[in-house]
């Protein structure tokens, strides 16, 4: 039977299509899939390290620290195999991975659909894709992202692929500055995170991330939405924006927004908060950029701007992480008139094909919708964390976040406490990460493609074991 693949257009990819449908390939595919299944099925729960592997593992960690110029945050070197949110490390331990490379591995570990897409990619002529030469999967990825983005009416027509969220954001700023030239300023929200390039370090509201770096952009900040004072923070942000637009007439290219502050600590805004800001920007010709690098596919709709009903204001949108390839979406009216956008690589061939498979799977699993799988799992996780917060007052506060982005504040909210709890959770078998400051929270980005309720139960058992000792 002809192999069905959303990533093959028969009339264009004739010879490639013949290759991926070759019966020898089909047999090899089946054998690989069986071998993977045999091994991954053995990884079925959290496990401590194998004492026989510990010494060699420690030596590898030391080599890694020496080679990369510092130890990684976690003593983590993957053993190369996992099963859904479970991952086996090189010391034989198995962790429940609820951070997945900060939101990247949306299908968890050793997923058979990722293997399948990677085989399709391995059979292609090149390992990497780029702006000079694209494959069919690149075309389909661009079309797919534009179609998803336009679903509720956003005027986003074009998609530029790139290798990182930072590059997607750089491209978004370039498009905005180019369109609004000579405007040179950007408006951001307190506590935001945009990425790690020189320009994005200027946007990111963390002085430590700019230490020793030259100033590159003029950035103005407005008040972040805060649930402790919804009306006050909404009003303050709008008044702040008004003041800035009056103080620097015509000088702002864009308002750059995270709809759920990610690195900042999992603070979602509200439709009212964002809409007031976006409307005012629209009136003044200032472009609105939604950064969806962390939020994409984790809320009730593929895009957070759709979740918050802000489609009318989406001038430029960036995304990445879970899609395996990053992207900048924009409308025809903003198409640059000069050659300001390009890089050698767009992504690896495997990334693009895997990204398409992730998108197909999330839709097939009904992740989206007000009562879709994402929101149902959010409620499930939230209820369990609320129960823990009630049982252990003062040791756990929250939860916070939206959809498949969820966080809590341990203990006194200090960075030291959060780090202690994070490390103890890791030792107990649950991987999360830090977010925000004052308070510092622990966040989780469970892989949306494969997380089930029993995984959430297991995570909450780890959390309970750790917080009750605080
Ligand atoms: C909201 C947001 N924007 C941009 C980035 C940067 O993405 P990357 O690390 O892929 O460059 C991140 C990364 O965490 C992010 O959370």
């Amino acid at each position: 039977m002809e192999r069905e693949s959303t990533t093959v257009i028969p009339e264009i990819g004739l010879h490639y299509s013949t290759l991926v449908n070759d019966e020898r390939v089909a047999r090899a595919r089946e054998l690989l899939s069986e071998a993977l299944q045999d091994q991954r099925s053995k990884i079925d729960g959290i496990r401590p390290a194998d004492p026989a592997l510990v010494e060699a593992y420690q030596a590898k960690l030391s080599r890694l620290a020496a080679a990369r110029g510092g130890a990684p945050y976690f003593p983590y070197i993957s053993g190369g195999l996992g099963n859904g949110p479970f991952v086996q490390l090189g010391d034989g331990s198995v962790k429940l991975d609820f951070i997945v490379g900060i939101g990247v591995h949306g299908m968890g570990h050793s997923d058979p659909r990722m293997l399948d897409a990677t085989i399709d990619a391995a059979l292609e002529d090149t390992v990497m894709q780029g702006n000079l030469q694209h494959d069919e999967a690149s075309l389909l990825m661009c079309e797919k992202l534009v179609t998803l983005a336009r679903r509720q009416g956003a005027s986003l027509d074009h998609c530029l692929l790139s290798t990182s969220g930072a590059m997607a954001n750089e491209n978004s700023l370039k498009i905005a500055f180019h369109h609004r030239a000579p405007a040179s300023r950007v408006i951001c929200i307190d506590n935001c995170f945009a990425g790690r390039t020189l320009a994005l370090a200027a946007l990111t509201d963390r002085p430590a991330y700019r230490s020793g770096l030259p100033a590159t952009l003029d950035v103005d900040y407005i008040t972040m939405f805060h649930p402790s004072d919804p009306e006050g923070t909404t009003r303050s942000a709008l008044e702040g924006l008004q003041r800035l637009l009056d103080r620097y007439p015509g000088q702002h290219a864009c308002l750059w927004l995270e709809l759920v502050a990610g690195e900042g600590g999992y603070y979602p805004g509200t439709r009212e908060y964002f809409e007031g800001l976006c409307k005012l920007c629209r009136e003044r010709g200032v472009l609105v950029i939604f950064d969806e690098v962390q939020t994409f596919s984790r809320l009730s709709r593929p895009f957070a701007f759709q979740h918050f009903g802000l489609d009318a204001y989406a001038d430029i949108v960036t995304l990445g992480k879970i899609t395996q390839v990053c992207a900048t979406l924009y409308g025809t009216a903003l198409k640059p008139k000069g050659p300001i956008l390009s890089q050698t690589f767009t992504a690896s061939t495997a990334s693009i094909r895997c990204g398409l498979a992730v998108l197909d799977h999330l839709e097939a699993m009904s992740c989206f919708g007000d009562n879709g799988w994402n929101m149902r799992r959010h409620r499930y996780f939230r209820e369990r964390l609320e129960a823990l917060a009630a049982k252990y007052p003062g040791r756990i506060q929250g939860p916070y976040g939206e959809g498949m982005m969820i966080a809590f504040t341990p203990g006194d909210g200090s960075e030291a406490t959060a780090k202690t709890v994070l490390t103890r959770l890791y030792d107990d078998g649950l991987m999360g990460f830090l977010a925000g400051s004052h308070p510092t929270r622990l966040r989780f980005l469970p892989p949306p493609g494969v997380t089930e309720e029993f995984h959430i139960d297991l995570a909450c058992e780890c959390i309970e074991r750790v917080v009750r000792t605080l």
Side-chain angles (χ1 to χ4, degrees):
M1 201 181 76
E2 184 85 350
R3 178 174 155 70
E4 264 188 57
S5 165
T6 52
T7 59
V8 175
I9 303 174
E11 62 273 24
I12 313 180
L14 189 58
H15 301 301
Y16 172 74
S17 181
T18 307
L19 174 60
V20 289
N21 284 297
D22 186 294
E23 71 172 65
R24 290 163 296 183
V25 170
R27 260 186 285 137
R29 198 186 286 276
E30 224 166 86
L31 287 173
L32 283 169
S33 163
E34 271 174 36
L36 177 68
Q37 184 51 30
D38 283 353
Q39 295 309 318
R40 75 192 286 271
S41 62
K42 295 177 190 162
I43 298 174
D44 56 1
I46 292 170
R47 227 187 275 164
D50 177 347
L53 298 174
V54 167
E55 201 180 318
Y57 187 67
Q58 289 302 330
K60 264 192 208 153
L61 284 169
S62 302
R63 278 169 51 204
L64 179 64
R68 69 188 286 280
Y73 194 90
F74 292 119
Y76 177 111
I77 299 179
S78 162
L81 197 70
N83 184 2
F86 294 116
V87 57
Q88 183 165 49
L89 305 191
D91 62 1
S93 64
V94 175
K95 306 286 183 198
L96 178 62
D97 185 3
F98 265 22
I99 194 64
V100 291
I102 316 198
V104 177
H105 319 306
M107 305 291 281
H109 300 264
S110 298
D111 188 87
R113 290 150 290 222
M114 299 295 95
L115 172 64
D116 220 24
T118 305
I119 294 169
D120 288 342
L123 292 168
E124 269 199 48
D125 60 319
T126 58
V127 172
M128 297 299 293
Q129 298 301 316
N131 280 305
L132 196 62
Q133 295 169 280
H134 300 271
D135 69 349
E136 294 169 20
S138 305
L139 157 64
L140 290 172
M141 178 56 94
C142 291
E143 284 182 346
K144 176 88 186 171
L145 291 175
V146 168
T147 303
L148 283 176
R150 293 174 65 88
R151 200 148 108 157
Q152 294 179 178
S155 299
L156 295 161
D157 307 297
H158 307 299
C159 170
L160 187 77
L161 300 180
S162 56
T163 45
S164 69
M167 203 59 231
N169 275 341
E170 284 277 333
N171 287 335
S172 75
L173 292 176
K174 281 180 168 180
I175 293 169
F177 282 128
H178 181 84
H179 185 76
R180 294 270 301 152
S184 62
R185 308 186 76 87
V186 180
I187 302 160
C188 290
I189 293 188
D190 291 341
N191 194 34
C192 69
F193 177 86
R196 299 287 195 158
T197 63
L198 279 176
L200 299 173
L203 267 60
T204 294
D205 190 18
R206 294 252 186 138
Y209 291 3
R210 292 195 287 273
S211 65
L213 305 180
T216 51
L217 286 176
D218 291 320
V219 184
D220 301 307
Y221 294 90
I222 54 176
T223 310
M224 177 185 88
F225 177 83
H226 202 287
S228 64
D229 183 10
E231 279 164 27
T233 48
T234 300
R235 196 177 47 248
S236 161
L238 193 57
E239 286 170 1
L241 178 64
Q242 182 90 52
R243 263 197 312 277
L244 286 167
L245 295 175
D246 291 344
R247 180 176 296 152
Y248 302 108
Q251 291 184 48
H252 289 105
C254 56
L255 167 68
W256 178 94
L257 291 173
E258 276 176 286
L259 299 174
V260 180
E263 306 303 298
Y266 284 25
Y267 292 90
T270 61
R271 182 190 157 93
E272 295 67 43
Y273 172 89
F274 291 122
E275 194 165 38
L277 303 177
C278 292
K279 258 193 188 145
L280 183 54
C281 282
R282 183 60 57 87
E283 279 165 29
R284 301 290 191 95
V286 173
L287 297 171
V288 174
I289 301 176
F290 295 133
D291 177 330
E292 301 249 9
V293 172
Q294 193 158 153
T295 48
F296 180 76
S297 92
R298 289 188 170 272
L299 309 191
S300 73
R301 305 288 186 280
F303 288 90
F305 74 76
Q306 297 168 329
H307 173 92
F308 288 103
L310 299 166
D311 304 71
Y313 305 104
D315 291 317
I316 308 174
V317 177
T318 61
L319 58 105
K321 291 189 186 275
I322 203 165
T323 35
Q324 315 295 294
V325 49
C326 304
T328 309
L329 309 179
Y330 60 98
T332 300
L334 301 183
K335 204 165 147 41
K337 293 174 182 61
I340 58 166
L341 303 172
S342 194
Q343 298 91 44
T344 302
F345 296 143
T346 47
S348 76
T349 308
S351 297
I352 297 170
R353 286 189 177 274
C354 285
L356 282 167
V358 173
L359 293 175
D360 285 349
H361 178 73
L362 296 181
E363 283 189 291
M365 297 305 289
S366 304
C367 281
F368 306 116
D370 292 337
N371 199 30
W373 202 29
N374 281 355
M375 298 314 278
R376 290 205 308 276
R377 285 174 295 177
H378 175 82
R379 286 194 290 273
Y380 190 83
F381 207 166
R382 169 174 284 274
E383 280 162 18
R384 261 135 206 85
L385 287 172
E386 276 166 357
L388 286 177
K391 193 167 169 188
Y392 298 102
R395 296 188 221 179
I396 165 167
Q397 287 163 58
Y400 310 98
E402 193 73 278
M404 296 297 276
M405 301 174 72
I406 198 153
F408 71 87
T409 304
D412 59 5
S414 68
E415 191 181 348
T417 302
K419 282 183 168 172
T420 303
V421 173
L422 181 65
T423 305
R424 287 199 201 154
L425 284 175
Y426 184 85
D427 293 342
D428 199 73
L430 175 64
M431 292 183 69
F433 203 50
L434 306 167
S437 50
H438 314 294
T440 303
R441 293 176 172 171
L442 291 192
R443 64 173 142 160
F444 301 103
L445 288 162
V450 290
T451 299
E452 296 184 39
E453 288 180 354
F454 79 91
H455 296 123
I456 295 172
D457 291 340
L458 208 54
C460 290
E461 286 166 25
C462 293
I463 293 168
E464 179 160 18
R465 271 195 298 277
V466 169
V467 295
R468 76 170 162 226
T469 64
L470 278 183

